[in-house]
Amino acid sequence: MKIEKEINEITGFKNLELLATQVVEGFISGLHKSPFHGFSAEFAEHKIYNTGESTKHIDWKLFAKTDKLYTKRYEEETNLRCHLVMDNSSSMHYPKIREFNITSLNKIGFSALAAAAVMNLLKRQRDAVGMSIYSDEYEFYASEKGSERHHQMLLGKLNEAIVRPSKSKQTRTYSHLHLIAEKLKRRSLVFLFTDMFQSDMEEQKMFEALQHLKYNKHEVVLFHTYDKEKELKFDFSNRPKRFVDVETGEYVNLYADNIKHSYEEAVSRYFNELQLKCGQYGIKYVRADINEGFNKILTTYLVERSKFG
């Protein structure tokens, strides 16, 4: 009953779709004169409507003037398939949050809102999106589609991941990435949101799995999701604290200041090694501090989309 009570107290996002739209609108307005200005699907020309074609893009205003049926053609037709992959292990639910909003996010909340914002852009471009969510098990998979019903279903799954936090669930990223590589039958842009908490052995297996995706001609972007203040700078008050591994339950009691310097050096070295290894494997590596906002994620999407061909 205690677990049920705790779950019920976590409200998730009140309106994830609206919040994602606000994030995207703010991002677009900030682009100004960048090369991506006006990136959304733009009208190119008219073509004569042929019987049997979809009536979705018929220009009815032109029909009223000419009494002839024409459809609108666009510069950007659906030509991108994007698969969003989200780590839902226990460590992704740090720090503990009760009610999520743009100024109150943990790693899973940040990843979910970032994914929803990318989905918003994909929707505007009429691109197809699929999704995988995993922890110690493969929790959810959906193939790439572009329909509104599909979009709403994915938003619901994102919010569900936030509202139902995993208890002591470790990550087996590599095993799920191999499954995803087998499931994706057509070349796709793969975005992976994970905090990269795993053992050295699992890390090597993970890069082998990422190579599996690359071998199948997919473009892979790793968004290394973390809380810079706590997980990189180790910014805690110097009082005796118990630090608990939420995935294994192991803990250590210590004063933060006693290990702050050596901890920060070790984690910075680990981050740099990850970036170097991603470069060696041809994987785009993006540091995603949950306190920095979403511009880096959305810009990465636009850059990768422009290169996708």
Side-chain angles (χ1 to χ4, degrees):
M1 290 301 293
K2 286 183 179 179
I3 293 175
E4 285 184 15
K5 182 176 183 294
E6 192 167 321
I7 289 173
N8 290 333
E9 286 175 358
I10 299 171
T11 60
F13 291 107
K14 290 181 178 177
N15 192 329
L16 181 56
E17 183 176 26
L18 177 61
L19 197 54
T21 301
Q22 290 172 349
V23 168
V24 170
E25 293 294 348
F27 171 70
I28 293 172
S29 66
L31 287 176
H32 298 303
K33 296 180 180 179
S34 82
F36 302 114
H37 186 64
F39 68 88
S40 58
E42 293 179 350
F43 170 69
E45 61 181 353
H46 286 99
K47 67 174 182 178
I48 296 173
Y49 172 77
N50 294 313
T51 305
E53 289 182 345
S54 169
T55 59
K56 183 177 180 180
H57 298 298
I58 288 178
D59 190 332
W60 295 108
K61 289 184 178 178
L62 190 60
F63 172 72
K65 294 178 181 177
T66 64
D67 204 31
K68 293 181 180 179
L69 289 174
Y70 292 91
T71 58
K72 293 180 179 180
R73 294 182 66 180
Y74 292 85
E75 295 284 0
E76 297 287 350
E77 298 297 341
T78 302
N79 58 2
L80 174 71
R81 301 170 71 84
C82 182
H83 198 82
L84 303 171
V85 185
M86 194 166 73
D87 176 358
N88 190 32
S89 58
S90 298
S91 63
M92 288 288 286
H93 289 263
Y94 177 84
K96 199 171 183 179
I97 299 288
R98 289 297 180 195
E99 187 170 325
F100 292 81
N101 58 59
I102 193 70
T103 59
S104 177
L105 295 168
N106 57 11
K107 288 183 285 184
I108 194 72
F110 176 89
S111 299
L113 183 50
V118 170
M119 283 167 51
N120 186 292
L121 286 177
L122 288 161
K123 184 178 176 182
R124 293 171 188 233
Q125 301 284 93
R126 297 194 303 283
D127 289 328
V129 61
M131 185 180 291
S132 290
I133 300 174
Y134 70 88
S135 55
D136 57 345
E137 60 184 353
Y138 204 151
E139 297 178 1
F140 174 75
Y141 169 80
S143 59
E144 296 72 34
K145 296 179 182 177
S147 69
E148 178 62 24
R149 183 178 180 182
H150 182 73
H151 182 86
Q152 292 299 324
M153 185 265 288
L154 295 186
L155 287 173
K157 288 296 179 181
L158 287 172
N159 221 17
E160 188 177 304
I162 296 164
V163 172
R164 298 187 178 277
S166 306
K167 290 290 181 181
S168 300
K169 286 195 174 182
Q170 299 184 39
T171 316
R172 292 290 181 268
T173 300
Y174 60 89
S175 62
H176 306 306
L177 289 181
H178 280 301
L179 289 173
I180 292 166
E182 293 298 329
K183 285 177 178 289
L184 298 182
K185 301 302 182 185
R186 291 173 58 186
R187 183 168 177 254
S188 302
L189 176 60
V190 179
F191 280 0
L192 169 60
F193 294 89
T194 177
D195 58 9
M196 292 298 290
F197 280 138
Q198 59 227 320
S199 68
D200 291 342
M201 185 180 295
E202 288 176 346
E203 181 189 321
Q204 183 55 41
K205 288 181 178 179
M206 177 178 175
F207 277 102
E208 290 171 2
L210 289 169
Q211 275 290 86
H212 189 177
L213 285 163
K214 291 290 292 182
Y215 179 79
N216 288 359
K217 309 301 182 185
H218 303 298
E219 293 300 319
V220 183
V221 180
L222 169 60
F223 289 108
H224 184 186
T225 310
Y226 66 104
D227 184 334
K228 184 176 181 179
E229 292 303 312
K230 301 298 184 185
E231 295 179 328
L232 179 57
K233 293 186 175 181
F234 208 62
D235 187 14
F236 294 94
S237 62
N238 194 35
R239 292 180 297 183
K241 280 187 172 60
R242 172 169 291 185
F243 293 88
V244 181
D245 185 329
V246 294
E247 296 192 358
T248 66
E250 296 178 4
Y251 65 88
V252 60
N253 299 319
L254 50 80
Y255 288 89
D257 282 3
N258 289 350
I259 67 161
K260 180 178 172 66
H261 180 68
S262 57
Y263 172 91
E264 191 171 345
E265 277 191 344
V267 174
S268 294
R269 185 166 56 249
Y270 172 58
F271 280 26
N272 291 334
E273 287 171 357
L274 282 177
Q275 186 166 5
L276 180 62
K277 190 169 287 189
C278 280
Q280 292 170 343
Y281 281 84
I283 296 155
K284 188 172 183 64
Y285 173 84
V286 180
R287 293 190 186 184
D289 176 12
I290 65 174
N291 303 299
E292 276 189 356
F294 303 94
N295 283 8
K296 191 180 289 187
I297 284 89
L298 298 181
T299 300
T300 300
Y301 159 75
L302 292 184
V303 170
E304 293 306 309
R305 190 187 193 284
S306 69
K307 295 191 298 186
F308 203 89

